Amino acid sequence: MKPYPAYKESGVEWLGMVPEGWETRRFKTFLREREERSTTGAEVLLSVSAYAGVTPRAEGLDAGEFLSRAESLEGYKVCHVGDLVMNIMLAWNRAQGITQYGGIVSPAYAVFSCDKAVDRGFLNYLVRSDNYCLYFKAFSAGVIDSRLRLYPEQFVALSCIFPPLPEQQAIAAFLDRETAKIDGLIEEQRRLIALLAEKRQATISHAVTRGMNPDASLKPSGVEWLGDIPEGWEVVRASRVLRVQSGFAFPSEGFSNDPADTPLLRGVNISPDGLRWDETVFWPREGNDRLKPFELKVGDVVIGMDRPWIASGLRIAQVGEEDIPSLLLQRVGRFQVGSEANPKFILHQYADDRFMHFLAPDLTGVSVPHISPSQIESFHIVLPPRNEQDEIVGYLHDVLIKLDTLTETATTAITLLQERRAALISAAVTGKIDVREVAKAPAKTLQSLRVSAMVAGVIIARHGQHLGFGRMMVQKFLFMTQACANAPEIGGNYERQAAGPLDRILQNRVEADLEAAGLVRVRQEGGPGSRVQYEFLGDAAALRAELASVLGDRMEGFDYLSNQLGGLTKNGIEAVATLYAAWNDFLIDGRTPDRADIIREVLENWHPEKSRKFTEDDLGTWLEWMERQNIVPDGTGPQTQTGRLFT
């Protein structure tokens, strides 16, 4: 973006040159500290964070957290809508902002009323920008970051630069629009990461309980949560194939911080993603022959037995080639696995959520829940022949690398988007870029789009980067949204075709609408008959907001459906949409089918392609998935028609 046409010296060293017409002001010229106190403590308790700004404290509570540990909130500071609220201990880390809520905050916070001649939106961006937070840090009292304080009298004495009020408003409007776009993209990447995590867990779970042969004969496992397993596999207690060795009870007073000594593997060093060494303690190397039984080797599976379950999964990992040689500390266990089992295969089973469900009722300890070796050894595991275990481990290695690469790419994208967001804000509030003309540009109207095009556009923006995404997947999303998310406005009339429910007229109309609106580019690089690819060009956040305004309360159902279907493969989406349509058709005709009826309808009465693509077991698995996700019809969706092949 272009700079301002003319600049002048700001008179503030760190700000340097600023646009002509902007003025340098001290915060005390437009802020006044508010000392109003609550007499009852009954007002809404607010908090301020670097990420969310000022929000009700109750909205950010995790399970088990207290709203406040104070016996009474009487005497807390009162703040009004439009006030600047600052956590003086974290001002250097963006913990301040303009509140949109009235309420009370901790007496340790500072609250300032703001002159009406200042645009609150502009001020909010300014005080939370990177440049100003570094400025606040330089004038905070204290030695280390966790002890820094920006006292109110010091804060109001600091300088800032302000454009005229209309320009403040233009900058705030520009940043509102642009940061909303970036935030929408960030949220899409976060949803993708969550879906990839679900896909990872489902892939592992299916591989270690069903194996690699989709045509394998199954038998009851005898364990309710396992269901059926392949013939030739066993269900055994883990103690048959492994023992859990507890670590050595190293006395903490002997710990060393010298990296030349031997690292000790503690529970904190074990995460579901592998071993991490950023919080490491050491043990002197001299005279430690007696500790050889506790030396870890590459390939060892280790588990943290204190606080075994964290937000991202169980503390269990395998020692890799890249991990530093270490000793096993007390409250960490090592799996000593016999030759009958592949250690990695065993690790995958324990990393499954089902182990935690098995374990949860028997966790001991209140402040520090923990598990014992006997609990770990008593878990029922599935045991295929060793050669099949090795095959499954190899398959999962390749698949998980791909999923982890996608996750890493999405994580990197979030980091870059956050950096761009911060840089854009800093550049705008310090006058490095001139946004006045851009701020005036009207946003493209989306109100003329049909609901079908809005739905397709949101789906393409959200899932279009997935491998194999194309015309068929858009069609299945449209059908499922119309049928399952109660969106009859889509208006599709679907035929029973080879890839599931299809409305070619709807398909062509949606693509034409999206191209005409400049939201999507449709490509078919291989010519007629090749896969159609979509490139989303528009404002994903704005399109989603417009769809939400149309769907209202139904948007929640649409989001749920989109998230669930978005984690499936191309064949998975086809299977689910076809099963849903066949089941729904039965209900419309007044019949209540069982699973066998639905599967037979798809394989025998839908299209000849179905019996070549899916088996009864395949469709049974997808029906089970639909029931688990509560994606089942109620007879209100569109009825499918027999396609031309059957007339």
Side-chain angles (χ1 to χ4, degrees):
M1 300 187 68
K2 66 180 182 179
Y4 278 80
Y7 286 83
K8 65 179 182 180
E9 282 288 348
S10 66
V12 179
E13 183 178 358
W14 72 271
L15 282 172
M17 304 291 287
V18 298
E20 284 191 355
W22 289 37
E23 61 175 330
T24 303
R25 302 177 63 179
R26 293 190 185 276
F27 283 103
K28 64 183 178 182
T29 62
F30 57 87
L31 295 177
R32 294 288 181 274
E33 188 171 6
R34 191 188 293 278
E35 287 293 351
E36 185 180 348
R37 303 287 176 140
S38 172
T39 57
T40 64
E43 297 89 344
V44 175
L45 180 62
L46 306 175
S47 63
V48 59
S49 71
Y51 177 74
V54 185
T55 56
R57 165 77 174 149
E59 292 182 2
L61 290 181
D62 293 325
E65 280 193 294
F66 295 96
L67 184 65
S68 173
R69 294 188 180 275
E71 291 185 6
S72 169
L73 303 184
E74 184 180 338
Y76 270 47
K77 289 187 176 180
V78 173
C79 56
H80 299 272
V81 174
D83 283 354
L84 174 63
V85 181
M86 174 181 288
N87 181 342
I88 66 173
M89 294 177 288
L90 291 170
W92 61 272
N93 195 29
R94 219 188 310 274
Q96 60 273 338
I98 299 294
T99 179
Q100 298 183 33
Y101 308 90
I104 53 176
V105 295
S106 165
Y109 286 13
V111 179
F112 303 90
S113 62
C114 184
D115 193 306
K116 293 181 180 179
V118 171
D119 183 79
R120 302 316 200 274
F122 176 82
L123 180 60
N124 188 62
Y125 283 118
L126 184 145
V127 297
R128 290 171 55 80
S129 67
D130 284 354
N131 305 60
Y132 278 90
C133 287
L134 285 171
Y135 181 40
F136 299 155
K137 186 173 185 178
F139 286 88
S140 296
V143 178
I144 59 175
D145 287 353
S146 62
R147 293 288 183 267
L148 293 179
R149 303 284 192 277
L150 182 61
Y151 293 108
E153 59 272 18
Q154 178 64 68
F155 166 63
V156 296
L158 299 179
S159 298
C160 58
I161 52 167
F162 263 72
L165 181 59
E167 205 166 327
Q168 295 174 37
Q169 295 166 339
I171 292 171
F174 166 79
L175 289 175
D176 285 345
R177 189 170 72 230
E178 296 304 311
T179 56
K181 294 178 186 177
I182 296 173
D183 290 342
L185 293 171
I186 290 172
E187 185 57 32
E188 297 295 341
Q189 295 302 313
R190 287 185 174 137
R191 274 196 288 265
L192 175 58
I193 290 171
L195 290 170
L196 288 168
E198 291 177 14
K199 176 71 173 175
R200 193 180 200 279
Q201 182 66 251
T203 300
I204 294 172
S205 181
H206 187 273
V208 299
T209 58
R210 289 296 181 91
M212 305 298 299
N213 180 8
D215 300 320
S217 298
L218 302 178
K219 65 178 183 181
S221 67
V223 179
E224 183 181 355
W225 56 265
L226 271 175
D228 294 340
I229 61 173
E231 294 278 1
W233 289 29
E234 297 180 84
V235 175
V236 302
R237 286 195 180 276
S239 57
R240 170 172 151 179
V241 297
L242 66 86
R243 292 289 181 270
V244 178
Q245 176 197 10
S246 294
F248 185 77
F250 292 93
S252 58
E253 61 268 19
F255 288 173
S256 157
N257 291 318
D258 186 354
D261 288 333
T262 303
L264 300 181
L265 184 76
R266 302 181 293 161
V268 71
N269 300 122
I270 305 173
S271 80
D273 301 320
L275 301 187
R276 45 191 290 268
W277 299 101
D278 51 339
E279 297 182 44
T280 307
V281 298
F282 302 86
W283 190 258
R285 292 182 179 274
E286 298 301 321
N288 286 335
D289 290 345
R290 65 194 173 100
L291 299 176
K292 283 192 175 296
F294 301 95
E295 291 178 353
L296 289 169
K297 304 183 296 295
V298 172
D300 282 346
V301 174
V302 290
I303 185 169
M305 295 189 291
D306 280 346
R307 292 192 181 92
W309 200 264
I310 58 178
S312 53
L314 184 71
R315 291 186 191 272
I316 189 169
Q318 190 168 33
V319 179
E321 296 279 357
E322 70 283 1
D323 291 310
I324 52 182
S326 57
L327 294 170
L328 198 65
L329 183 63
Q330 186 181 29
R331 305 308 306 152
V332 175
R334 167 168 49 188
F335 286 13
Q336 296 176 315
V337 182
S339 60
E340 192 177 2
N342 183 312
K344 191 76 171 183
F345 183 82
I346 301 299
L347 181 151
H348 284 315
Q349 292 200 50
Y350 276 92
D352 195 307
D353 288 347
R354 289 174 290 198
F355 174 58
M356 189 57 194
H357 296 317
F358 159 81
L359 185 66
D362 298 319
L363 284 173
T364 57
V366 179
S367 60
V368 183
H370 55 268
I371 55 175
S372 67
S374 61
Q375 287 174 303
I376 297 169
E377 292 171 5
S378 66
F379 184 53
H380 280 96
I381 60 171
V382 185
L383 196 66
R386 176 60 194 258
N387 65 310
E388 288 190 53
Q389 295 178 43
D390 296 341
E391 181 186 2
I392 291 168
V393 168
Y395 162 76
L396 287 175
H397 176 269
D398 294 340
V399 171
L400 297 184
I401 283 178
K402 294 176 182 176
L403 292 175
D404 291 344
T405 299
L406 289 171
T407 299
E408 185 178 345
T409 300
T411 302
T412 301
I414 289 174
T415 301
L416 293 173
L417 286 164
Q418 289 172 332
E419 290 175 358
R420 171 169 174 74
R421 188 185 194 279
L424 188 66
I425 292 170
S426 290
V429 299
T430 57
K432 300 298 184 291
I433 55 175
D434 185 351
V435 305
R436 290 172 295 181
E437 292 303 316
V438 181
K440 294 177 184 177
K444 290 182 178 179
T445 178
L446 299 169
Q447 295 178 355
S448 60
L449 280 177
R450 298 180 177 92
V451 173
S452 56
M454 290 184 194
V455 168
V458 169
I459 292 300
I460 291 168
R462 181 175 295 179
H463 302 297
Q465 72 272 33
H466 292 191
L467 187 64
F469 188 92
R471 180 174 280 165
M472 186 280 285
M473 297 181 81
V474 170
Q475 273 285 298
K476 301 307 157 283
F477 272 109
L478 284 168
F479 169 77
M480 291 299 291
T481 302
Q482 182 173 341
C484 188
N486 188 27
E489 303 98 318
I490 290 175
N493 296 298
Y494 302 92
E495 294 182 348
R496 293 187 167 194
Q497 292 292 348
L502 172 66
D503 182 341
R504 287 190 176 87
I505 295 174
L506 174 66
Q507 166 189 295
N508 294 333
R509 188 180 70 213
V510 161
E511 290 178 0
D513 286 351
L514 290 172
E515 284 198 297
L519 293 172
V520 169
R521 180 180 295 121
V522 182
R523 293 182 287 123
Q524 198 167 11
E525 295 176 350
S530 64
R531 183 168 69 89
V532 170
Q533 295 175 287
Y534 301 104
E535 180 183 359
F536 189 78
L537 307 173
D539 182 339
L543 181 60
R544 186 185 182 286
E546 189 64 31
L547 177 61
S549 71
V550 174
L551 294 184
D553 293 343
R554 294 173 294 166
M555 192 66 183
E556 183 177 352
F558 168 74
D559 281 336
Y560 175 80
L561 185 68
S562 172
N563 288 338
Q564 298 305 316
L565 297 181
L568 304 183
T569 62
K570 181 179 177 182
N571 277 1
I573 291 179
E574 178 183 336
V576 167
T578 308
L579 287 164
Y580 190 101
W583 189 350
N584 192 61
D585 288 348
F586 275 119
L587 297 177
I588 291 174
D589 291 337
R591 299 168 59 191
T592 304
D594 58 22
R595 287 189 179 187
D597 293 331
I598 300 168
I599 292 171
R600 188 164 51 250
E601 182 72 10
V602 171
L603 294 178
E604 298 177 7
N605 299 324
W606 186 280
H607 189 283
E609 183 68 24
K610 293 303 180 192
S611 61
R612 291 191 286 269
K613 187 174 292 184
F614 299 107
T615 66
E616 288 185 22
D617 286 343
D618 292 334
L619 296 179
T621 298
W622 286 116
L623 275 174
E624 291 173 6
W625 180 89
M626 291 166 64
E627 290 169 343
R628 288 198 306 272
Q629 312 306 323
N630 196 30
I631 298 177
V632 295
D634 59 8
T636 60
Q639 187 165 24
T640 59
Q641 309 299 319
T642 302
R644 295 189 182 89
L645 288 174
F646 286 77
T647 55

